[in-house]
Amino acid sequence: MDFSLDETQEMLKAAARDFLAKECPSQVVRGLSEEPAAYSPALWEKMADLGWIGLAVAEEAGGAGMGSVEMAVLAEEVGRALLPGPFYAVAYLCIPLFLAAGESGSSLLGQAVSGSLIPSLAWVEPLASWEEDGIRTRAEMNRGSWQVEGLKLFVPAAEIASGFVVAARGPGGVGLFWVDAKASGLTRRELPSLDRTRPLGEIRLAGAEALPLVEPPKGWRAMEQARTAAAVYLSAEAVGGMERLLELAVEHARTREQFGRPIGTFQAVSHKLADIYLEKENARSLVYYAAWALANSPEQAPLAAALARAYSAEAFHRAAAAALQVHGGMGFTWEADVHLYLKRARWHLAFLGSPAWWWQRVAKLTLDNPDWPA
């Protein structure tokens, strides 16, 4: 299968790289890491105007009308630049859920695509499980309206979100509910986070009024579909991060000298650079196959996405560790950008499930589909 980008995709890639180099260089990333939810209203508005938030949303729904491969191309550049803020939570997670909700999510979808609404997904709870049985938050009908009760952890952009898509257990199973951030009975706070460019928070729901997006028990299927798409796009981000790590490591190996010669000429260093390149290319192949499958082969997409996510998260962390070793002691310092990528790589090891969880999913899906990808 040919994974070469077509002309439109190459133009998107180049435009995204130029925009992020101008609007989100390293100093901006560092500065935004000190802001609530690492969020810049001005940068968010510009990305919305470019159509990035709704890149894979149909034009009739207000989006740019592109597909999953184009979204992966954009995500790769987002990861390369370490874009701070809630873009991933909105574009990768919430928008697919609004699409799955159909008519009940159409208004929220339109607002999210325009950038006027910043939704976030409240999924994980104190059990720290990404499985259906880990959802213990309750949704009950009371006097003609839904109310939700529970605690959600590791919620993206919890501090600045306009509202939350809450996974809650109702009659017969899991449903998805929209809870406005200003709803009575909702409180939120930031949680400590290693990667300050993507802070997470917790929300407590004490009988907060909610609007049903996907009524029980159909919510879990919508969440699994959204998780599959998000896994692909997060994996593409990891590829972009690895690409930038390789550039940083190669630049340092060319300019740093020991014993009168660049350190890149030493076998121990050059082998690490080759390892980063190999990890990056392996991950890229898995990512673009999974992105293709999202649009063209839905039955293969869950397994392809699981493979991409399991491998890319681990590969990104290995690449960050290798790049840091190439930099030596200065790699740990604030002045070197490589430590920012190491923190993002650590974030990737935890968000949306650990690599071990994804490898288990690969095993299960492979056993369920022994002929894949025949």
Side-chain angles (χ1 to χ4, degrees):
M1 181 174 291
D2 184 6
F3 292 132
S4 300
L5 302 182
D6 62 27
E7 184 178 359
T8 299
Q9 292 160 353
E10 289 285 6
M11 289 175 62
L12 172 64
K13 185 179 184 70
R17 183 168 298 190
D18 289 346
F19 173 84
L20 290 168
K22 178 183 177 182
E23 300 290 341
C24 193
S26 174
Q27 58 269 32
V28 171
V29 173
R30 292 165 181 265
L32 286 177
S33 69
E34 303 300 323
E35 298 296 324
Y39 169 67
S40 164
L43 181 58
W44 187 256
E45 183 178 351
K46 290 177 181 178
M47 291 191 295
D49 290 343
L50 288 170
W52 284 12
I53 300 173
L55 190 73
V57 176
E59 291 184 46
E60 54 267 26
M66 294 190 178
S68 53
V69 174
E70 288 78 14
M71 194 69 195
V73 169
L74 176 59
E76 187 177 338
E77 294 305 312
V78 164
R80 186 180 189 276
L82 288 183
L83 176 69
F87 179 78
Y88 72 102
V90 179
Y92 307 165
L93 285 164
C94 289
I95 282 181
L97 290 174
F98 293 152
L99 289 169
E103 185 61 32
S104 61
S106 60
S107 175
L108 295 170
L109 174 65
Q111 295 176 69
V113 167
S114 72
S116 62
L117 182 83
I118 301 178
S120 185
L121 176 60
W123 181 331
V124 184
E125 300 184 13
L127 288 177
S129 171
W130 295 89
E131 298 283 7
E132 184 177 8
D133 59 8
I135 297 174
R136 304 295 175 85
T137 295
R138 303 296 304 179
E140 297 179 351
M141 182 70 75
N142 185 14
R143 296 181 181 179
S145 64
W146 286 97
Q147 294 183 343
V148 291
E149 184 101 19
L151 173 64
K152 295 290 188 178
L153 303 177
F154 314 124
V155 180
E159 287 182 280
I160 55 94
S162 310
F164 303 91
V165 179
V166 177
R169 192 169 295 278
V174 173
L176 296 175
F177 301 85
W178 175 255
V179 180
D180 191 274
K182 298 178 181 178
S184 176
L186 184 149
T187 58
R188 52 185 170 176
R189 72 180 182 93
E190 184 184 355
L191 295 173
S193 178
L194 177 64
D195 182 5
R196 291 293 308 156
T197 66
R198 284 192 168 168
L200 304 170
E202 75 166 34
I203 62 169
R204 291 182 180 271
L205 302 151
E209 187 172 345
L211 297 175
L213 293 175
V214 182
E215 295 204 11
K218 298 179 182 179
W220 182 249
R221 179 175 176 80
M223 291 174 70
E224 285 202 309
Q225 291 173 344
R227 177 168 59 189
T228 295
V232 175
Y233 304 141
L234 288 173
S235 299
E237 283 195 1
V239 171
M242 284 187 272
E243 182 176 53
R244 182 57 182 152
L245 280 167
L246 181 60
E247 292 173 357
L248 292 170
V250 167
E251 181 182 1
H252 183 75
R254 284 174 173 167
T255 56
R256 174 67 172 168
E257 293 189 357
Q258 286 288 344
F259 308 108
R261 50 196 283 206
I263 63 172
T265 62
F266 297 110
Q267 210 172 52
V269 174
S270 60
H271 282 186
K272 288 189 180 299
L273 299 177
D275 287 343
I276 297 172
Y277 177 80
L278 182 62
E279 299 271 27
K280 172 178 69 76
E281 290 303 307
N282 286 342
R284 176 173 275 127
S285 295
L286 290 170
V287 164
Y288 281 99
Y289 179 76
W292 172 87
L294 278 179
N296 299 283
S297 184
E299 69 280 0
Q300 295 183 27
L303 179 52
L307 276 166
R309 186 64 182 146
Y311 182 85
S312 68
E314 291 182 330
F316 188 14
H317 189 254
R318 288 192 294 264
L324 190 143
Q325 290 172 4
V326 170
H327 280 73
M330 73 170 293
F332 287 93
T333 65
W334 182 252
E335 288 74 16
D337 284 347
V338 67
H339 82 280
L340 300 173
Y341 287 87
L342 179 62
K343 291 175 180 177
R344 178 64 67 85
R346 294 292 298 178
W347 181 93
H348 272 266
L349 289 178
F351 190 77
L352 211 64
S354 68
W357 185 89
W358 283 103
W359 283 123
Q360 289 175 351
R361 183 167 173 82
V362 168
K364 180 181 184 303
L365 291 170
T366 301
L367 291 172
D368 291 344
N369 302 275
D371 295 329
W372 186 88

